[in-house]
Amino acid sequence: MTTASQTKQKTLIEALQASLAVSLRTPEGVAEPAVLLWTDTDGQWQGLLPALSAALPQLFILGGYNPEKRTGPVIWLKCILDRTIPEVSPPDGVIPIFYLPGVSRQELRAGGDCPRDLQPLIELQYRGAVWHQRNGRDWTVEAFLISDIGLGLDMAQDTRTREAMLRALPRLATHPIEALRGRRLEAEDFDRIIIGDPVSDLLKWMSAPELFQRSCEPAAWQTFGDVCIREFGFDPDKDGPVAAGDALMHGGGVWDSVWSRFCESPRLYPGVSQLLRGPARDLFVDQSRRPAANEEQEAALRKELEQVLSLPHQDACAKVIALNEKNKERRDWVWAKLGESPFAVALEPLSLLGRAARTQLGGASAHAMAADYAANGFRCDRAVLDALMMSKATPEGQLVSKVVRALYEPWLDQSARHFQSLVEQTLSAGGKLAVGVSRESGTCILFVDGIRYDIAGMIQERLEGRGFRVQMGHRFAPLPTVTATAKPLAAPVHDSCKGGTDVSDFTPVWETGKQQVTAQRLRDEMARQGFDVMDQQEVYMPSSFENSGWAETGKLDELGHSLDCRMVQHIDSEVEDVVSRVAGLIAAGWPRVRIVTDHGWLLVPGGLPKVELPPSLVASKWARCATVLGESQPDVPVFPWHWNPHLRIASPPGIGSFRAGVEYAHGGVSLQECVIPDMQVEAGMQAVRASITGIQWRGMRCKVTVDTNATGLSVDLRLNWRQADSSIAASAKEISSNGEGSLAVKDDSYEGAAAMVVVYDKAGQIIDYKPTTVGEEL
């Protein structure tokens, strides 16, 4: 059975890249490996090195010293790892891959018996990771082609087919995988690949003419020339690659199919990009095929974006919108796929930000303004996150961040100031904004730390995409918008809390006992009141149909405080964690899941503007709030503490900060911090439902029984339920029409191991999972 991940990979090179990436994954809290070792006892993979080196700039090869080909002896590889050869070494943050032809994993594991010249590599097994099969053996080409975690192809096992496969390996690099499925592959199939893809041959020759010709036998080179004359209308010997590049830029006829193939996997043919960088020889060249044209437009766009930084706000917004209209076509050019159009790509979210930031949020009351923000205003925040996700630690990324600030900061500050005045009016008139979360029968409350309203929109989109019904609402966070004050109000036992006389750390106390309200004491109190309280990542069914539950997940707030704007790179995985937790709770039998949070946050690249507050006026001071000392009268907005209105909280005006250099902060009064999501999630009418109802072991085989309303689900046995590459089953199995699946453990050494039985859909999404012990007979 072909898996969803296999169908996403169009070529052998892409499948190898994906498999190597999986080997580099580490559990949460575990350091990334320093290097990935690729052992290849028989040197079978060497036929792929030209294509692999082009696709993987972090690939380094054990062999004779040739730094231009990223090849060298063991000591040179160690220097690459230590980054002592900066002109060759990969950038910081990129994990190098060491391909070791003629070296087996068993040799490296032999310790003192390992060949002397390889012994410096032994310790890299422990600092790094090793790419190998599930059984611990080196990946052979054949094993990767037929394995269910490789390409999953059906291939004859005879010697003739194996030999033909290895002969065809260089061509297999870019051959469409789907063309190999649906039949048993024989030697003839691989032989046809060698002579059956003239477009690929042409692109390889254009990318590296001398290398391609040297790799051909004389007869093969003659055949290639004949094909070029017959099908492409030029002679590679007489006309050379320049003529081919000129024809490719002009397009038309068969050359359009050549261009389409190049656009599918441009990184496999780096020399083609260089070939096309020459000056155009006439005016009829397709400009989208000229990298120089793209570079010229990117350079011009850079200058115009720099000018945006000095424009008035409304003019800056209009300018960015106009620039997007002018450059949006280039996002479909192949150069964007190669990462050569960072400004054109960034203009998509920047233009959305510009449109949203042109209109200030309004409202005659705090409730009206919050409703306006929940309906439309949050889109401005979402566009900021999308733009920052595209920004990297490069000069281009820094400029994009500056443009984000230029468009966002004035809108954000003005909205915050207006909202602060409305909140002050409401509270000074005795009104109330923040209301606590109440107990609801049959509902599990899922507390997610620090999810802002725009993040909740991402969660809603994914949940609805999975077939769940989502009702999105909002409520107000209490002041100040810090965890110590706000989390107790999100817990359905908040009626047992009250404000003490000390507000220095903004923590309420219990009505009885006068102890401070901590996260653990909240959980203990809920358990005492009969809630089903689950630990982090724990999922189980309700103890009764009418009971209520409490669960927690998420670490966005922690990431924000430690990473500032870099936290945006982790938002996608955090959103997926929330969706998985909700799906697990509903699959376990909870009729509804209510997602709540404590507070939102501000995030501004370059930092929030600094606001001065004399230390003599406050007892404690954080970035976005401070405790007013006695009867002091600071020259900033002052609000009552939610838990004891007789105590006062100072808040910076607008989006200011009492601390300098802070990009991420909360605790103050703004829509982003105060208007928080409140989501009700239920199973949709068409939502996939599956529940593991039985696991029976007989020796090293287990029969799994699943109650489901869907077809096409599969069952697997994994050491880590989230990671498909941790499977210990000989192969995953599709669940039959009677709801059963039988799994065999691939290695007897796993007997007695703790594992997870996992049910997942065709997209690889986990529907249900349950723990088991391998070989356990009950």
Side-chain angles (χ1 to χ4, degrees):
M1 183 184 68
T2 303
T3 67
S5 62
Q6 287 168 347
T7 60
K8 294 179 182 178
Q9 298 149 13
K10 297 179 180 179
T11 65
L12 173 59
I13 291 293
E14 291 181 3
L16 283 170
Q17 287 178 287
S19 182
L20 292 166
V22 167
S23 296
L24 290 172
R25 292 178 186 169
T26 55
E28 185 177 334
V30 177
E32 289 185 334
V35 64
L36 178 62
L37 300 180
W38 178 352
T39 51
D40 182 10
T41 308
D42 300 324
Q44 287 190 356
W45 293 98
Q46 292 185 86
L48 282 182
L49 288 183
L52 277 171
S53 296
L56 294 170
Q58 71 272 37
L59 178 69
F60 299 89
I61 304 156
L62 175 66
Y65 180 67
N66 190 339
E68 291 184 359
K69 294 185 177 181
R70 303 202 296 274
T71 301
V74 169
I75 188 64
W76 182 78
L77 293 178
K78 295 293 290 276
C79 291
I80 292 295
L81 181 60
D82 295 336
R83 269 69 172 185
T84 57
I85 313 178
E87 63 273 16
V88 184
S89 300
D92 289 342
V94 176
I95 300 173
I97 301 171
F98 288 175
Y99 173 62
L100 311 176
V103 179
S104 70
R105 186 176 179 228
Q106 286 69 27
E107 282 183 292
L108 295 181
R109 298 178 69 184
D113 294 330
C114 178
R116 186 176 182 84
D117 60 323
L118 298 178
Q119 288 186 5
L121 297 176
I122 293 175
E123 56 97 12
L124 298 186
Q125 299 176 94
Y126 310 105
R127 292 173 57 198
V130 182
W131 186 55
H132 58 75
Q133 300 184 56
R134 287 171 173 163
N135 59 15
R137 297 174 182 170
D138 294 346
W139 274 113
T140 62
V141 177
E142 179 185 0
F144 191 78
L145 293 186
I146 65 176
S147 171
D148 61 334
I149 61 171
L151 295 186
L153 300 177
D154 183 8
M155 192 181 93
Q157 306 294 300
D158 60 278
T159 302
R160 185 165 166 264
T161 300
R162 293 190 182 100
E163 291 174 348
M165 171 197 69
L166 293 176
R167 285 198 307 269
L169 188 58
R171 303 294 179 90
L172 275 172
T174 57
H175 191 78
I177 294 173
E178 285 306 307
L180 303 176
R181 299 196 190 282
R183 67 185 188 280
R184 189 171 184 81
L185 298 174
E186 309 281 351
E188 291 75 13
D189 294 290
F190 292 108
D191 286 339
R192 277 195 294 270
I193 292 172
I194 299 174
I195 59 174
D197 194 353
V199 172
S200 177
D201 283 348
L202 175 59
L203 286 169
K204 290 175 183 176
W205 171 75
M206 292 174 66
S207 182
E210 295 180 1
L211 177 63
F212 180 85
Q213 186 170 356
R214 286 199 304 269
S215 69
C216 290
E217 297 292 335
W221 173 252
Q222 181 62 46
T223 301
F224 172 71
D226 292 343
V227 170
C228 287
I229 294 170
R230 184 176 65 252
E231 297 191 20
F232 302 107
F234 83 103
D235 187 333
D237 283 317
K238 295 179 180 179
D239 302 323
V242 173
D246 192 52
L248 186 59
M249 282 194 287
H250 281 81
V254 69
W255 286 100
D256 286 340
S257 65
V258 177
W259 179 254
S260 296
R261 179 70 69 86
F262 171 66
C263 291
E264 286 178 4
S265 302
R267 295 186 187 278
L268 293 178
Y269 314 106
V272 173
S273 298
Q274 293 303 317
L275 181 64
L276 300 180
R277 290 185 189 280
R281 289 189 281 181
D282 58 57
L283 300 176
F284 300 102
V285 169
D286 185 343
Q287 294 300 307
S288 70
R289 301 187 183 189
R290 287 188 60 234
N294 182 67
E295 291 168 358
E296 291 164 4
Q297 294 185 52
E298 276 291 293
L301 180 53
R302 174 194 286 273
K303 292 180 180 179
E304 294 193 89
L305 287 174
E306 289 172 343
Q307 294 171 6
V308 166
L309 303 180
S310 59
L311 294 176
H313 182 247
Q314 287 295 322
D315 293 342
C317 292
K319 178 75 170 180
V320 167
I321 294 169
L323 288 174
N324 179 61
E325 289 300 312
K326 182 180 177 181
N327 290 272
K328 63 183 181 182
E329 178 186 5
R330 291 196 296 115
R331 290 196 285 270
D332 296 325
W333 292 6
V334 69
W335 317 116
K337 190 173 184 178
L338 286 168
E340 296 178 14
S341 310
F343 294 129
V345 171
L347 274 175
E348 185 171 18
L350 286 176
S351 65
L352 294 175
L353 172 58
R355 292 182 189 279
R358 286 191 303 182
T359 305
Q360 286 296 330
L361 295 175
S365 67
H367 285 285
M369 195 172 185
D372 191 15
Y373 172 73
N376 296 298
F378 76 93
R379 303 182 196 281
C380 203
D381 304 323
R382 174 73 176 267
V384 168
L385 296 185
D386 289 341
L388 292 178
M389 285 178 189
M390 296 181 181
S391 302
K392 298 180 180 178
T394 62
E396 292 81 6
Q398 293 169 7
L399 177 55
V400 170
S401 293
K402 290 178 181 178
V403 174
V404 168
R405 183 184 180 95
L407 302 180
Y408 187 48
E409 183 184 13
W411 175 88
L412 188 63
D413 188 68
Q414 187 173 338
S415 298
R417 290 176 186 271
H418 182 45
F419 183 67
Q420 287 168 358
S421 66
L422 295 176
V423 170
E424 189 173 13
Q425 291 175 17
T426 301
L427 297 181
S428 61
K432 191 174 183 181
L433 293 173
V435 178
V437 174
S438 301
R439 182 174 194 157
E440 298 176 21
S441 63
T443 299
C444 181
I445 297 171
L446 177 61
F447 175 84
V448 186
D449 190 21
I451 52 168
R452 204 167 63 173
Y453 202 86
D454 51 336
I455 306 292
M458 300 180 192
I459 296 171
Q460 179 181 12
E461 290 168 6
R462 294 203 191 177
L463 284 170
E464 290 178 340
R466 294 275 297 272
F468 294 101
R469 292 199 304 267
V470 182
Q471 182 179 350
M472 175 73 83
H474 67 271
R475 62 188 186 88
F476 286 88
L479 301 182
T481 49
V482 296
T483 301
T485 287
K487 186 171 183 178
L489 201 65
V493 292
H494 55 83
D495 288 343
S496 300
C497 307
K498 70 173 185 177
T501 57
D502 181 10
V503 71
S504 60
D505 61 358
F506 311 113
T507 304
V509 297
W510 294 104
E511 285 278 5
T512 58
K514 309 304 180 185
Q515 290 181 313
Q516 284 195 327
V517 178
T518 63
Q520 185 56 52
R521 288 170 182 158
L522 279 172
R523 294 166 61 82
D524 292 343
E525 179 62 20
M526 283 185 281
R528 190 187 68 79
Q529 294 190 23
F531 283 80
D532 292 327
V533 179
M534 287 164 265
D535 291 333
Q536 195 86 349
Q537 302 307 325
E538 189 177 33
V539 175
Y540 55 78
M541 64 188 301
S543 57
S544 70
F545 183 77
E546 296 295 327
N547 208 20
S548 303
W550 173 270
E552 300 183 34
T553 193
K555 54 179 181 180
L556 265 180
D557 190 35
E558 176 187 338
L559 291 168
H561 285 299
S562 60
L563 299 177
D564 280 332
C565 278
R566 289 175 294 148
M567 61 92 74
V568 300
Q569 305 302 330
H570 299 269
I571 287 176
D572 185 73
S573 60
E574 286 295 303
V575 168
E576 189 58 37
D577 283 347
V578 175
V579 171
S580 296
R581 194 73 190 281
V582 171
L585 289 166
I586 289 180
W590 289 96
R592 287 175 302 282
V593 174
R594 182 180 180 183
I595 302 175
V596 302
T597 190
D598 45 1
H599 56 74
W601 32 268
L602 294 177
L603 185 71
V604 179
L608 304 174
K610 177 72 162 59
V611 173
E612 298 298 332
L613 181 64
S616 59
L617 302 180
V618 295
S620 63
K621 182 167 63 177
W622 297 9
R624 287 281 292 161
C625 57
T627 307
V628 178
L629 191 63
E631 299 300 319
S632 300
Q633 298 297 322
D635 190 22
V636 296
V638 174
F639 300 90
W641 183 33
H642 174 84
W643 294 104
N644 185 347
H646 298 293
L647 299 177
R648 296 178 298 153
I649 305 296
S651 179
I655 60 168
S657 169
F658 293 137
R659 296 178 180 174
V662 176
E663 293 183 326
Y664 172 95
H666 57 87
V669 181
S670 69
L671 291 159
Q672 287 71 19
E673 296 163 285
C674 294
V675 181
I676 53 178
D678 193 344
M679 306 167 67
Q680 293 276 0
V681 185
E682 297 179 344
M685 295 300 292
Q686 301 301 320
V688 173
R689 174 186 54 78
S691 177
I692 299 171
T693 58
I695 302 173
Q696 291 182 322
W697 284 95
R698 288 192 177 181
M700 299 301 284
R701 179 178 292 274
C702 74
K703 184 176 76 171
V704 181
T705 305
V706 179
D707 178 20
T708 180
N709 63 348
T711 60
L713 302 183
S714 297
V715 63
D716 196 7
L717 187 66
R718 301 176 182 176
L719 297 178
N720 185 319
W721 66 274
R722 290 187 174 194
Q723 298 179 0
D725 60 336
S726 71
S727 174
I728 59 174
S731 63
K733 296 294 183 181
E734 188 166 332
I735 299 170
S736 64
S737 58
N738 64 358
E740 294 182 352
S742 180
L743 295 170
V745 181
K746 63 186 177 183
D747 193 326
D748 289 351
S749 64
Y750 289 111
E751 185 172 7
M756 285 281 186
V757 174
V758 175
V759 175
Y760 60 91
D761 62 18
K762 292 180 180 179
Q765 298 284 350
I766 305 299
I767 309 300
D768 193 22
Y769 59 93
K770 275 194 169 60
T772 187
T773 301
V774 175
E776 181 180 42
E777 296 187 10
L778 300 177

